[in-house]
Amino acid sequence: KATVSVLNCLQSGDSEGERVRERSIMEPLFKALSFDMTPQRAVLLSGGAAALFVGSMYFAADARKEGYNRDEKRNILKRAAGAALTSAASLAVVALGKGAAGGTYLERIGLGGTLAQQLRAVATSFGLTTTLFLGVVVGRRVEDGEGFFEIFPSLRLTLLPCAGTDDDYVPFRNYLLGPATEEIVFRSCILDFMLNAGFGHAAAVGCGALNFALAHVHHLYFYLTSLRIPVLQGCTIVFANLVMHSVFALYSSFIYTRTASLPAAILAHSYCNMLGPPSFGHLSNPALSSRQKHAITAALVGGAGAFAVLAGPLTRPALFGTYAHAMAW
């Protein structure tokens, strides 16, 4: 009877028949391609995803040509295609890997839970990042005269650069394309590779942070070939960026694992790109009065202290769905 029912559905062409037909085609293919996510494979796939992410952008944009400019519209769009393909390939590997990770596919890539839980995660990410970078916000107000909302670039250029000049595409790359594809590969996918293989959270987060930092070392090539800066200076800049990107990756991983939300991690990444790293450079700015310097310093220290107090309670896994319990530090 069950067989006759399925055959009738297939012959009727109704929606149920279409679903049965799709399952009958896809399930054998999925089983043939799926594999056990062993620790060795997880480490290799993590490094491979990072290498492919960087390599695909250079291959697509042909960065080896003389006079290459990464900020040109055509190069941004070509590199976007490479990053998007790497993201899609990494998401496919998550779907095919079998291992210790529980939850649905959407939960494993940070898109599970209810809409309310995802919105709560995004709001929490925005609030905590503002708190942690309060000194930067105050510093830009005092030093540059920028109001809070002036920090954000044109939303039109970020989300839809249209057919504008090359400069119009830089915000699109820095505040949407880059954060989205990097968080998909280095948070959603690499963390899942490691957790699915049975690694603990510390190892998974560490692997993701290391690969994320190393994936930015390639900027040395741009510094030496396009900007023509001395080798020692370029290496110094890259080392500083290596440390900075490692620290940021830990922060982004904290947001992602505590909320189990990919949009929350993307927002934190984009927001940090807009703000820039905290620093005490204002102390050596002769244009600032002592009172202004004290105000910025107080915001830097106070923001960091407030973040330390609020981060734990505001990212309780119970606020963001059942899968957050399995993922949270």
Side-chain angles (χ1 to χ4, degrees):
K1 290 181 180 180
T3 303
V4 171
S5 176
V6 170
L7 290 174
N8 288 336
C9 286
L10 290 172
Q11 293 171 353
S12 66
D14 59 15
S15 59
E16 181 62 29
E18 291 296 328
R19 286 194 291 270
V20 172
R21 185 182 293 108
E22 289 174 1
R23 286 197 297 270
S24 66
I25 295 173
M26 296 303 297
E27 284 183 3
L29 179 62
F30 183 83
K31 289 181 179 179
L33 294 176
S34 62
F35 61 93
D36 293 327
M37 185 64 77
T38 63
Q40 294 83 359
R41 285 174 178 169
V43 173
L44 289 175
L45 285 169
S46 298
L52 183 62
F53 187 88
V54 176
S56 65
M57 293 190 296
Y58 273 79
F59 177 77
D62 199 4
R64 293 168 295 177
K65 287 184 176 180
E66 185 72 22
Y68 170 78
N69 183 0
R70 66 191 293 266
D71 291 336
E72 287 183 3
K73 168 187 169 182
R74 61 188 178 89
N75 289 327
I76 290 176
L77 294 180
K78 287 179 179 180
R79 293 177 65 153
L85 287 174
T86 304
S87 299
S90 300
L91 290 171
V93 172
V94 170
L96 296 172
K98 298 183 295 182
T104 66
Y105 176 72
L106 288 181
E107 286 176 332
R108 289 170 56 194
I109 63 172
L111 294 175
T114 65
L115 177 60
Q117 289 167 340
Q118 286 287 350
L119 291 176
R120 185 182 297 120
V122 168
T124 301
S125 174
F126 182 80
L128 286 177
T129 304
T130 301
T131 303
L132 182 60
F133 286 75
L134 184 62
V136 178
V137 175
V138 173
R140 290 178 64 164
R141 175 60 179 174
V142 174
E143 294 187 85
D144 304 325
E146 291 184 342
F148 180 73
F149 293 103
E150 292 176 305
I151 291 173
F152 304 98
S154 169
L155 187 62
R156 180 188 70 79
L157 294 180
T158 300
L159 301 181
L160 189 65
C162 301
T165 64
D166 288 356
D167 290 341
D168 292 341
Y169 282 78
V170 174
F172 167 72
R173 178 196 64 198
N174 293 347
Y175 309 131
L176 180 62
L177 172 68
T181 54
E182 289 180 355
E183 291 305 314
I184 288 172
V185 172
F186 295 99
R187 245 62 69 189
S188 286
C189 296
I190 288 183
L191 281 179
D192 184 81
F193 296 165
M194 300 295 287
L195 294 175
N196 205 15
F199 284 100
H201 284 80
V205 169
C207 180
L210 178 62
N211 280 290
F212 178 76
L214 291 176
H216 289 80
V217 172
H218 69 95
H219 289 163
L220 178 63
Y221 179 81
F222 172 70
Y223 296 149
L224 299 181
T225 58
S226 296
L227 300 183
R228 305 290 184 180
I229 64 176
V231 175
L232 181 59
Q233 182 183 355
C235 291
T236 303
I237 295 173
V238 167
F239 178 76
N241 285 339
L242 185 69
V243 175
M244 181 182 69
H245 283 103
S246 298
V247 173
F248 168 76
L250 294 175
Y251 173 66
S252 181
S253 297
F254 173 81
I255 293 293
Y256 179 72
T257 57
R258 293 284 292 185
T259 65
S261 171
L262 175 61
I266 293 174
L267 175 73
H269 194 148
S270 179
Y271 194 11
C272 288
N273 282 358
M274 293 178 191
L275 292 172
S279 75
F280 287 88
H282 63 281
L283 295 176
S284 59
N285 187 346
L288 298 179
S289 66
S290 297
R291 184 175 182 179
Q292 290 173 319
K293 292 178 181 180
H294 292 331
I296 298 173
T297 302
L300 282 167
V301 176
F307 174 83
V309 172
L310 298 173
L314 292 181
T315 59
R316 297 191 310 276
L319 298 172
F320 306 104
T322 54
Y323 193 66
H325 285 277
M327 186 175 273
W329 291 6

